[in-house]
Amino acid sequence: YLYHISEGSASATFEIQILNMFGVVTVDTDRNEHFFGVEDGVSAGVGFGDFIKRSDILDPSKNILDSNGTLRVKVQMKVEPKTAFVPPNSFANMMKALFLDEASADICFEVSVPVEEEGSDTAASDDLFHAHRLILDTCAPMLAALCGSSENGEMAIATITDVSPKIFRHLLFHVYGGSVPKDDLIAHAKDIIDASNKYSIVNLKLEAEEAYVDSTEITIENVMDNLLYADAMNLALLKEVAVDFLADNGEELLTSGLSTICQGMSSKMCSLLLQGRKRKLCPKWLTTTKLTHTAPMV
């Protein structure tokens, strides 16, 4: 009998043979697949109760036992051939390998963060980021447009002063198919959103927005700031979360002295709040509060 002693169950294809003292097969089984399961916590064996008669084993004329009285049993397991290894498409890794590759680059971004000292701007940091026009033209046209055209194969140079080098590195790495670590997405969510929005890196903007929503607790104190920020940056997920919070906490907002919550808003923002009321059926405060607004925000 064969037993499966590891955890769980398994299937195996095998045959058992008995050889005589000269190595000739005397008795064998068909090679079949057998299932080794577990019953009441004990592995159920697979075997053959009437495989060979004891009298035949002991019969000297059959030469089954050798001179030492040893019985030779041969067990053969069928090994399934391994499937051929097919490597995954390497294009994504090749693209990431070109990130900051100065030897093949034809564009260079000089990213600096100005600080004011005695009324003048001086560069606090100045980092160089090499890139490729073909990739930027396809994946980040707004970044490519900053570089203009170059003649005689010269390196095109563009200066960026409104994004920190660390955020720009995340931005450019994303363009080349890379991923921003989750911790950095959470820690610098707003900076990444602002930069992605400015240079139209849509997917990274959505990732940063999701990280910001997941890591930010909407409260009475910050709901309006978040709603206005979502409206200004066109952040649909954050906008929905903020509107739902307003719809769910209308009475508490009134008692907190925010009855004029819609004053100074654009007509579009007031419309958003009314949409929230229709969706969540919030208390009457939202429609009974006088809605005053300024000209729509640009």
Side-chain angles (χ1 to χ4, degrees):
Y1 281 77
L2 295 180
Y3 288 88
H4 178 236
I5 63 174
S6 301
E7 294 184 1
S9 57
S11 296
T13 300
F14 66 91
E15 65 177 333
I16 299 177
Q17 301 173 336
I18 291 183
L19 309 180
N20 64 18
M21 60 187 302
F22 305 109
V24 178
V25 177
T26 303
V27 182
D28 64 354
T29 63
D30 294 331
R31 179 176 294 190
N32 294 316
E33 182 176 9
H34 299 273
F35 176 77
F36 294 84
V38 177
E39 296 180 358
D40 299 327
V42 179
S43 173
V46 175
F48 308 91
D50 55 354
F51 186 62
I52 187 173
K53 293 182 178 179
R54 183 173 182 271
S55 59
D56 289 340
I57 295 176
L58 298 176
D59 187 348
S61 65
K62 296 185 180 297
N63 298 315
I64 293 178
L65 299 178
D66 62 14
S67 58
N68 295 323
T70 301
L71 176 67
R72 297 176 62 188
V73 179
K74 182 180 180 181
V75 180
Q76 290 182 322
M77 306 294 292
K78 180 182 177 182
V79 180
E80 297 292 341
K82 295 182 178 179
T83 58
F85 171 71
V86 179
N89 192 318
S90 60
F91 178 76
N93 290 333
M94 294 170 64
M95 277 284 289
K96 286 186 280 190
L98 290 174
F99 177 62
L100 302 182
D101 182 35
E102 183 176 355
S104 60
D106 52 5
I107 287 177
C108 180
F109 292 98
E110 294 182 350
V111 182
S112 59
V113 180
V115 294
E116 294 187 1
E117 290 185 2
E118 297 180 357
S120 62
D121 288 349
T122 59
S125 61
D126 194 349
D127 291 1
L128 301 181
F129 296 87
H130 293 87
H132 305 78
R133 184 179 296 278
L134 177 61
I135 295 176
L136 296 185
D137 280 339
T138 305
C139 304
M142 294 189 67
L143 283 177
L146 296 177
C147 302
S149 59
S150 57
E151 299 179 356
N152 302 323
E154 295 180 354
M155 183 82 67
I157 299 177
T159 301
I160 294 180
T161 59
D162 54 0
V163 178
S164 72
K166 182 174 184 177
I167 300 302
F168 187 81
R169 182 186 181 89
H170 287 323
L171 196 76
L172 193 59
F173 188 51
H174 180 86
V175 171
Y176 278 75
S179 300
V180 179
K182 185 176 181 180
D183 290 344
D184 283 354
L185 269 178
I186 293 175
H188 307 287
K190 275 196 168 183
D191 290 334
I192 294 175
I193 290 172
D194 294 345
S196 300
N197 184 71
K198 181 177 180 64
Y199 295 110
S200 193
I201 312 297
V202 178
N203 285 354
L204 181 57
K205 177 182 174 182
L206 293 175
E207 289 181 22
E209 179 189 4
E210 181 184 23
Y212 180 78
V213 170
D214 290 344
S215 61
T216 301
E217 180 184 3
I218 303 297
T219 65
I220 292 177
E221 290 73 22
N222 67 22
V223 61
M224 289 312 302
D225 289 337
N226 280 296
L227 184 57
L228 292 170
Y229 179 68
D231 185 56
M233 290 293 171
N234 194 24
L235 305 175
L237 179 60
L238 178 58
K239 188 182 299 183
E240 180 177 359
V241 171
V243 169
D244 285 350
F245 181 88
L246 289 172
D248 289 335
N249 297 273
E251 298 295 343
E252 187 176 353
L253 287 165
L254 281 177
T255 58
S256 298
L258 297 178
S259 59
T260 57
I261 195 168
C262 287
Q263 291 183 2
M265 290 184 187
S266 66
S267 57
K268 182 171 70 173
M269 290 294 291
C270 290
S271 176
L272 282 173
L273 298 183
L274 290 175
Q275 290 175 17
R277 181 188 185 282
K278 292 177 181 178
R279 237 185 7 254
K280 306 290 287 189
L281 298 177
C282 70
K284 295 181 180 179
W285 73 273
L286 193 52
T287 53
T288 57
T289 302
K290 182 179 180 181
L291 302 182
T292 61
H293 60 82
T294 60
M297 296 174 63
V298 177

